Amino acid sequence: MPKKVLFVDFDGVLHPTHHGSALLSQLPLLEFAIESYDCALVISSSWRFHMEINDLKKHFSLPVRDKIVGMTGEAYIGAYARFHEINAYALQNSIVNWRALDDSYWEFPPGCSHLIRCNPNSGLTQRQIDVLTEWLGQD
């Protein structure tokens, strides 16, 4: 597994959450940004509760699809749920260098350095891509 792992939410990240937004409209932006980097992707979206990993992978281009190594596990009930779900996966898989693309900032501890926060009204933008590629480009 690559040294860097990106945990990806869908709603509010890969598309805006407002009614009428095209599903996965921001996915090409993410794919273009990470295609040339050696990183792995893990699905942390709640979509994982409704779809199998192979069905989720079908939404991604072939080069990026091959980077998807898993999904986080069972839902955590309590404060900072998404952070705990991701952390459990990271601990289980010996992952220390990770980031999460997510719009649900309240599901992470305040000031969490692992979170790349998206605005749910716009989804992923160049601003988050810049932060992401800066991290991916570091040794």
Side-chain angles (χ1 to χ4, degrees):
M1 181 179 304
K3 291 181 181 180
K4 295 183 180 184
V5 178
L6 179 63
F7 290 85
V8 181
D9 181 28
F10 285 18
D11 300 319
V13 176
L14 297 184
H15 54 262
T17 56
H18 56 80
H19 180 70
S21 297
L23 288 180
L24 307 176
S25 60
Q26 303 306 97
L27 181 56
L29 181 61
L30 175 64
E31 291 185 325
F32 182 76
I34 67 170
E35 198 172 61
S36 63
Y37 288 99
D38 183 27
C39 66
L41 270 66
V42 175
I43 306 299
S44 56
S45 171
S46 61
W47 285 35
R48 73 187 193 274
F49 299 126
H50 309 287
M51 297 178 75
E52 298 292 326
I53 190 166
N54 287 334
D55 293 326
L56 289 170
K57 284 182 173 186
K58 290 176 185 175
H59 294 288
F60 293 80
S61 67
L62 287 175
V64 175
R65 187 179 303 169
D66 291 340
K67 294 177 179 285
I68 300 172
V69 297
M71 301 186 297
T72 52
E74 294 183 21
Y76 178 88
I77 306 301
Y80 315 130
R82 185 68 51 87
F83 175 79
H84 289 292
E85 293 164 4
I86 290 171
N87 204 44
Y89 185 97
L91 288 171
Q92 183 178 6
N93 293 281
S94 302
I95 298 167
V96 295
N97 196 357
W98 62 270
R99 294 293 182 274
L101 274 177
D102 209 305
D103 65 313
S104 301
Y105 66 90
W106 60 89
E107 293 198 41
F108 294 81
C112 179
S113 63
H114 295 284
L115 175 62
I116 301 173
R117 181 180 171 185
C118 295
N119 182 328
N121 296 314
S122 61
L124 184 66
T125 66
Q126 191 60 48
R127 183 176 178 193
Q128 291 84 33
I129 292 297
D130 291 346
V131 173
L132 176 61
T133 55
E134 180 181 343
W135 168 67
L136 287 171
Q138 295 169 353
D139 287 332

